[in-house]
Amino acid sequence: MILILKSDNQYFLDVLYKNPNTDNGLYLKELKDGVVIGNAVSSNEYHCVFFDSKHSFMPEDGSQIDFQSHCSPLLALNMGTEFFNHLYKEKEILASTEISWLGKTYDEIDTHPATVEIPTFFIDSGWFKNDSYLLSKYIDGITLTPKIGNNYSLKTEGSTIREAIQKVSIVAMFSHFTNRYAIYTYIDDSFIQKYITMFCNISGVPYFAFYLFIKRVMRSPVQFEKFKPQLEAYFNNTIQFVFTDTHQSRKQFICERIHSDEPVLDFGCGELQYYKSVMKKGFSNEYFAYDEVDFSSEVLKIAEQFKADNLNWVANKQEIIGFEGQIILSEVIEHNPLVEAKELMIWLRDNTNFSKLYITTPDKDFNTNYEMINEFRHDDHDFELSNSEFVTLINEIFPNNKDFFGIGDCVNGVYPTSAVIIYNK
């Protein structure tokens, strides 16, 4: 792998902390089983090259092809740390740090645009599709160009040398953790702090990039709670993050409220995610699963997996008439035309004796945080409502005895999921 850094800044090598007159501008450091070499090609161009003697960045020891040691995102992370770790500090601290041999601060000399290029960069995930790279939508100055297979050329641009280097490190970090072909990396607090600092050093990073960082990189709720204040402070506390992703947040919201003293009807059960969750919490009552798609074979497998006899497949909606207990209607209504969705809720109101009815649906006003303007959140949605439209719809059908909620991260008062719990009269 080679990293190519360029800038017209006359202090380019000073910012990099590299002296072209020392060892002819060459710096050599051991990295795993290989060596990484830094070379001051000119006063405005610097190269970092890695040569491997074994399989330093291979997930499989038995493979004889050491291709990953030449294009792995994890290698890019390691090379950046070896050569430019001094530039990963908080921008306020680095800005006022004086470079001793110049008698000037970084803010005084790092004032010109810069680029970092990696000619061959390996990405094996769904983050590049339809000729577009996901992070490029959320962070300016990131360009990914397809080459052959899962290989791309990567270029980052920054208004400063520091920014260009930190952007390439952020791309490498995300790519490593989302690649299917990757080496497991232990995530300690210092690693998390390092990349939160990089995010906060770049202006204008939107909510969704932080969402991806929390969901893909952070390993535990304890770790999340420790760093949550820093993440929210970046947005002047107009955003409140939660540890779980949107789907997990919905499951957690409903499953924490399900009681074992009453049966459950999971209307639109899908692959029984709610059943699996409540069973892990000790649910023992009868659980009825209904869906327009035939999941009966899946029901048998899951029942066998849990060694439980409380899971019942409902093949016909008419069998639901007269049901007494708790009903889950989560992420269902938007998969029907709005008229049919209203008819479904009215049918449940009039044909069951539910104690509690849990309804969730996406809030379309949140879609702007995913850089979506007119699209639905998923292709199989027939409609999506704003929270106010959802409240109006529910009030029309269920005028009494209910509580409304927002589920998930809160961005300027808007949640990704609108929810309501309706109580039987």
Side-chain angles (χ1 to χ4, degrees):
M1 174 176 280
I2 180 170
L3 276 67
I4 302 170
L5 293 76
K6 296 179 181 178
S7 176
D8 290 335
N9 192 326
Q10 63 174 318
Y11 299 109
F12 176 62
L13 295 177
D14 298 294
V15 172
L16 297 183
Y17 218 77
K18 302 295 183 274
N19 186 346
N21 299 315
T22 303
D23 297 326
N24 296 317
L26 291 175
Y27 293 78
L28 285 77
K29 293 186 177 183
E30 291 183 355
L31 179 58
K32 290 188 177 290
D33 293 316
V35 59
V36 62
I37 302 170
N39 180 26
V41 176
S42 71
S43 60
N44 299 109
E45 185 170 341
Y46 193 81
H47 292 184
C48 301
V49 185
F50 179 69
F51 292 99
D52 204 13
S53 62
K54 292 186 179 179
H55 299 154
S56 296
F57 292 90
M58 287 293 293
E60 305 163 9
D61 292 336
S63 175
Q64 298 303 307
I65 301 176
D66 195 14
F67 183 65
Q68 284 293 302
S69 290
H70 301 282
C71 58
S72 165
L74 183 58
L75 171 56
L77 285 177
N78 279 265
M79 290 171 69
T81 299
E82 288 294 332
F83 279 96
F84 313 117
N85 201 43
H86 67 290
L87 297 178
Y88 294 158
K89 299 176 183 177
E90 294 179 24
K91 63 180 180 181
E92 290 80 12
I93 295 174
L94 196 58
S96 58
T97 300
E98 185 177 280
I99 299 174
S100 58
W101 60 89
L102 293 177
K104 297 177 181 293
T105 64
Y106 280 92
D107 245 15
E108 290 178 293
I109 65 171
D110 190 8
T111 56
H112 287 64
T115 63
V116 181
E117 298 178 52
I118 302 180
T120 304
F121 189 76
F122 184 81
I123 294 182
D124 183 23
S125 71
W127 281 34
F128 187 91
K129 59 183 178 181
N130 301 324
D131 297 323
S132 176
Y133 179 54
L134 181 62
L135 278 185
S136 299
K137 295 174 60 177
Y138 304 104
I139 301 177
D140 292 336
I142 296 174
T143 304
L144 208 66
T145 305
K147 295 181 75 174
I148 299 175
N150 292 322
N151 296 312
Y152 300 81
S153 62
L154 170 65
K155 181 178 181 179
T156 64
E157 302 171 78
S159 58
T160 63
I161 300 165
R162 291 166 287 171
E163 184 178 289
I165 291 173
Q166 291 180 23
K167 282 180 180 178
V168 82
S169 189
I170 287 172
V171 173
M173 179 268 296
F174 271 124
S175 299
H176 173 63
F177 284 105
T178 56
N179 273 357
R180 287 180 283 269
Y181 196 58
I183 303 171
Y184 178 78
T185 304
Y186 174 68
I187 306 302
D188 60 11
D189 287 354
S190 62
F191 185 97
I192 295 294
Q193 182 62 70
K194 174 181 176 179
Y195 284 93
I196 289 177
T197 298
M198 288 191 201
F199 273 119
C200 294
N201 283 347
I202 301 172
S203 301
V205 178
Y207 151 80
F208 193 63
F210 282 81
Y211 171 90
L212 292 171
F213 179 72
I214 293 168
K215 284 17 175 191
R216 296 304 183 99
V217 180
M218 288 193 174
R219 296 300 192 196
S220 73
V222 173
Q223 196 174 62
F224 166 73
E225 290 297 333
K226 178 177 180 178
F227 293 102
K228 182 175 184 282
Q230 289 185 55
L231 300 171
E232 295 178 348
Y234 180 84
F235 298 96
N236 296 319
N237 297 308
T238 60
I239 292 177
Q240 289 78 51
F241 290 103
V242 298
F243 179 65
T244 49
D245 66 25
T246 305
H247 175 62
Q248 292 169 334
S249 296
R250 289 194 298 265
K251 282 200 304 181
Q252 185 179 71
F253 173 84
I254 292 175
C255 292
E256 285 178 348
R257 291 165 172 79
I258 293 291
H259 298 289
S260 275
D261 57 358
E262 289 183 313
V264 168
L265 167 62
D266 190 348
F267 195 101
C269 64
E271 297 179 351
L272 282 297
Q273 295 296 320
Y274 286 95
Y275 175 75
K276 296 173 185 176
S277 293
V278 296
M279 288 297 288
K280 290 174 182 177
K281 294 177 180 292
F283 183 81
S284 56
N285 217 306
E286 294 297 306
Y287 195 101
F288 298 89
Y290 171 81
D291 202 294
E292 291 182 348
V293 179
D294 185 358
F295 283 103
S296 55
S297 60
E298 187 74 14
V299 166
L300 291 174
K301 292 178 185 177
I302 294 173
E304 183 178 342
Q305 173 189 340
F306 281 92
K307 295 180 172 57
D309 58 3
N310 66 338
L311 180 57
N312 308 278
W313 171 250
V314 179
N316 191 316
K317 193 170 78 169
Q318 298 306 308
E319 298 175 37
I320 296 169
I321 294 175
F323 172 82
E324 296 185 4
Q326 307 159 96
I327 299 180
I328 300 172
L329 190 68
S330 179
E331 306 303 289
V332 172
I333 61 174
E334 66 273 8
H335 293 274
N336 305 272
L338 183 56
V339 172
E340 293 180 16
K342 293 172 67 174
E343 291 173 350
L344 169 59
M345 289 186 284
I346 292 170
W347 189 91
L348 289 172
R349 180 196 68 189
D350 296 342
N351 290 280
T352 67
N353 295 309
F354 64 83
S355 58
K356 296 184 186 69
L357 172 59
Y358 302 91
I359 303 175
T360 71
T361 192
D363 183 344
K364 72 177 182 183
D365 285 346
F366 198 87
N367 291 352
T368 57
N369 296 302
Y370 304 131
E371 300 294 320
M372 301 169 66
I373 301 175
N374 297 316
E375 315 101 298
F376 289 149
R377 203 171 296 179
H378 297 288
D379 293 338
D380 57 355
H381 288 185
D382 286 278
F383 70 89
E384 290 179 359
L385 303 175
S386 66
N387 182 256
S388 60
E389 291 169 337
F390 175 69
V391 170
T392 299
L393 173 65
I394 296 300
N395 284 337
E396 179 184 332
I397 301 170
F398 303 98
N400 303 308
N401 303 321
K402 58 191 174 295
D403 291 318
F404 290 99
F405 301 87
I407 301 175
D409 295 336
C410 181
V411 180
N412 297 314
V414 181
Y415 296 85
T417 302
S418 297
V420 64
I421 303 176
I422 302 159
Y423 309 94
N424 197 340
K425 60 185 178 180

